[in-house]
Amino acid sequence: MAFGVLYDFTGNSNVSKVIKARDLVKEKWFLEALNYPQPIDLFIVLGHNPIRTTVSTSTFGIIYDTIRGQRPDVPIQTFGGHTHIRFVISGRCMYVDSPGLRDFVVYDAMSTGLESGQYCETLGWASMSGINSSTFKGNRKPRGVPNPTQKAIKVSNATSTANASMSSSATSDLVYSRRYLDWNRLTFEYHAIGSQVSTFDLHSGQRVTADITKARNDLNLTTLYGCAPRTYCEFCKPFGADGNIFTFLETALAATVVNKSRADIPRLIIINTGTIRFDLVKGPFTFDDSFIVSPFNDAFQFIPDVPYDLASQVLGILNAGPFQKRSMDMDPHDLTTRDFNFNIPLIPSEACAAPAHSHSTLRLRSSPLTRNLRTRALFPGYVTTDDFGTDGDDTPHSPIPFFPQPNDIQANASFPASGALPDTVDLVFLDFIGEDYVIPALNSVGGEYTIADVEFYLPEEFTTNTYLPEYARRFWQAGVPNCPVGTGVGRD
């Protein structure tokens, strides 16, 4: 029996209805389903919902408690999502699953959960054996493929408190396995039975590829703006370092966010780091990349002629406060790690060393395929720790370090060439942080501003999705149209 359960989403339109989990479990039809008179082999719970019940937005714990209260002896398997990012701990260092989530959770002896990937870059695989079923007549241990062997017991100290509220006295003969596959052609060729490059493609798949290519061309997604001269990452380098995207954005904002009629007036430009959604990699920077890196249409507003001694304090106040996000009732897009109650410790960079891998080889699933993907030099990527340990990644990687980033960054532009500080500045900021964050920050240090003082600094059509293409057109023309391509995040 399967249930699809969304987290308690409030950003839906008025033509849809989201039933909160705490209300769902009280509804008659749900309770009747749990007590269905025919045998139930397994409950499957899946949805856009974090599998870690300690994540503030997760409602799987409510569903689990209700099912387990009614059916203590039936296995539960969850498949979740929503959090987009996962931290993995190795020794003293914290790494990001560069850049996505891979996680497997043990709830009790016959209940587990799988969550795989950030933006469709991971294929998660879970299997289980030992389900007591009166209707299944097949082979419980098929030959020629690995069979699950691990009981639902936590083996990882790094995740031992992730579901502390969930407990059950049930015991079980169920055994499980899980694996995280990098989502790329080489992985799929490697695991496909009897696959070689010449036979891997199907005509139907080639037709889909052709349709996607045509759609991308029709939408001009391949339009080239310029050649990014290096890779700029969100988290792999500390803020202020070369190669950190937020460090680079200070330069890009100063160069492109310019009101021509006020170009000579000193300005402070503050943006929320949540507007950036992915790394910017060395190579072609296209129309498509502009959405991958900075997809949101947040316009630039400002308050003119703010005393510098007030305006210069705003960034520190914003970074000391809560992460700014839109109301979920208005626009749910601005979600980051800070929205999920992840506690991000500051870790010295010298403590970050690549951990040892617990498995050294990849087993071929098909004997005709002789490609060996395991080499001495590991490429940066996922190094995952979950409730089953550290052996879940299908392809071993060296880890990419994770460094916390500020809530906001600030670009200074048109300051006096002498190095002197200006008396007043134009304080420029994104439209959704002005009223609720910037104005209160100004007023907390002696300002007397209201929303009536706020104007658009640039036309509303110039947004956070606009300034990077503008920068690329102006400053990244070297190498066009044959852009040199980098070697990837963690290597460039």
Side-chain angles (χ1 to χ4, degrees):
M1 182 172 289
F3 299 104
V5 184
L6 184 67
Y7 75 103
D8 286 346
F9 181 61
T10 58
N12 54 299
S13 72
N14 58 10
V15 299
S16 62
K17 180 181 180 181
V18 177
I19 302 173
K20 295 184 182 299
R22 61 178 177 273
D23 298 322
L24 168 67
V25 297
K26 300 175 185 177
E27 297 206 358
K28 180 181 178 182
W29 70 266
F30 183 80
L31 295 173
E32 287 178 347
L34 295 188
N35 291 286
Y36 187 67
Q38 299 298 318
I40 299 175
D41 299 331
L42 172 71
F43 286 105
I44 295 178
V45 184
L46 71 162
H48 194 85
N49 210 331
I51 60 170
R52 294 267 163 193
T53 59
T54 49
V55 175
S56 61
T57 51
S58 176
T59 60
F60 276 161
I62 297 172
I63 306 300
Y64 167 89
D65 288 340
T66 304
I67 295 176
R68 192 50 80 231
Q70 298 288 321
R71 305 298 290 258
D73 300 322
V74 178
I76 303 170
Q77 179 64 45
T78 67
F79 297 94
H82 181 56
T83 51
H84 288 289
I85 200 163
R86 163 97 177 121
F87 303 116
V88 290
I89 300 171
S90 175
R92 296 175 55 206
C93 193
M94 177 172 284
Y95 299 94
V96 66
D97 266 2
S98 49
L101 182 150
R102 294 176 167 185
D103 201 11
F104 188 81
V105 174
V106 173
Y107 301 127
D108 65 33
M110 49 186 176
S111 302
T112 67
L114 179 71
E115 186 171 352
S116 307
Q118 182 185 20
Y119 299 127
C120 196
E121 80 303 310
T122 297
L123 174 63
W125 167 267
S127 60
M128 56 192 301
S129 295
I131 296 175
N132 293 318
S133 173
S134 60
T135 57
F136 179 71
K137 306 301 181 183
N139 188 350
R140 293 180 182 272
K141 291 186 177 181
R143 295 181 180 180
V145 296
N147 283 277
T149 59
Q150 191 163 344
K151 288 184 174 292
I153 299 172
K154 295 177 185 178
V155 299
S156 167
N157 291 330
T159 59
S160 61
T161 61
N163 292 282
S165 64
M166 310 187 83
S167 62
S168 172
S169 59
T171 58
S172 173
D173 293 328
L174 289 172
V175 286
Y176 296 82
S177 71
R178 54 79 180 93
R179 204 158 181 85
Y180 309 108
L181 282 69
D182 290 352
W183 191 295
N184 57 55
R185 182 186 177 96
L186 196 60
T187 293
F188 298 145
E189 288 179 357
Y190 175 79
H191 286 286
I193 295 176
S195 171
Q196 301 294 334
V197 173
S198 61
T199 62
F200 186 70
D201 290 326
L202 301 177
H203 292 304
S204 56
Q206 290 175 328
R207 287 194 297 271
V208 171
T209 298
D211 289 342
I212 293 172
T213 301
K214 181 179 184 301
R216 287 174 56 80
N217 290 332
D218 291 345
L219 293 169
N220 297 317
L221 291 177
T222 57
T223 298
L224 179 64
Y225 291 130
C227 300
R230 66 167 301 162
T231 291
Y232 301 95
C233 63
E234 286 187 272
F235 300 108
C236 75
K237 294 180 180 293
F239 177 64
D242 290 340
N244 176 283
I245 193 168
F246 302 114
T247 305
F248 159 69
L249 292 185
E250 294 178 332
T251 300
L253 290 165
T256 59
V257 181
V258 184
N259 180 325
K260 292 182 179 179
S261 67
R262 304 180 65 85
D264 295 332
I265 299 174
R267 60 193 179 277
L268 302 179
I269 308 164
I270 296 175
I271 70 165
N272 170 282
T273 54
T275 64
I276 298 299
R277 300 296 281 178
F278 211 68
D279 305 310
L280 195 165
V281 297
K282 179 180 178 179
F285 184 75
T286 65
F287 185 40
D288 191 16
D289 294 307
S290 72
F291 293 103
I292 292 172
V293 177
S294 183
F296 308 129
N297 290 314
D298 299 318
F300 292 90
Q301 294 181 328
F302 82 119
I303 300 175
D305 304 320
V306 177
Y308 178 77
D309 63 342
L310 299 183
S312 61
Q313 298 183 66
V314 170
L315 180 67
I317 294 170
L318 296 182
N319 279 328
F323 189 71
Q324 305 99 41
K325 57 184 178 180
R326 295 179 182 273
S327 165
M328 289 297 288
D329 291 325
M330 295 174 59
D331 190 339
H333 71 234
D334 196 15
L335 296 173
T336 73
T337 59
R338 301 164 179 85
D339 294 303
F340 306 110
N341 283 354
F342 287 130
N343 184 23
I344 307 173
L346 293 172
I347 299 170
S349 58
E350 63 269 17
C352 296
H357 292 279
S358 59
H359 58 292
S360 59
T361 60
L362 293 176
R363 296 179 180 177
L364 292 174
R365 301 294 187 267
S366 172
S367 56
L369 181 60
T370 59
R371 182 183 294 106
N372 184 2
L373 301 184
R374 183 72 167 98
T375 62
R376 289 182 179 275
L378 300 181
F379 287 93
Y382 295 94
V383 179
T384 307
T385 298
D386 59 23
D387 281 6
F388 267 13
T390 59
D391 61 350
D393 292 322
D394 184 62
T395 301
H397 295 285
S398 61
I400 299 176
F402 174 86
F403 295 93
Q405 305 299 322
N407 292 349
D408 300 85
I409 60 171
Q410 175 179 284
N412 301 352
S414 298
F415 271 43
S418 65
L421 296 177
D423 294 328
T424 62
V425 295
D426 285 348
L427 183 60
V428 185
F429 45 84
L430 301 184
D431 53 4
F432 76 93
I433 67 174
E435 184 173 11
D436 293 333
Y437 299 98
V438 174
I439 290 175
L442 279 172
N443 292 344
S444 72
V445 291
E448 295 181 356
Y449 295 95
T450 69
I451 193 64
D453 298 305
V454 176
E455 309 171 38
F456 280 98
Y457 184 71
L458 292 168
E460 294 182 54
E461 294 76 23
F462 189 94
T463 69
T464 48
N465 180 240
T466 307
Y467 70 93
L468 283 174
E470 176 64 20
Y471 186 88
R473 280 190 289 260
R474 290 169 55 185
F475 301 103
W476 285 352
Q477 293 308 297
V480 171
N482 301 311
C483 300
V485 177
T487 53
V489 175
R491 294 175 65 87
D492 286 348

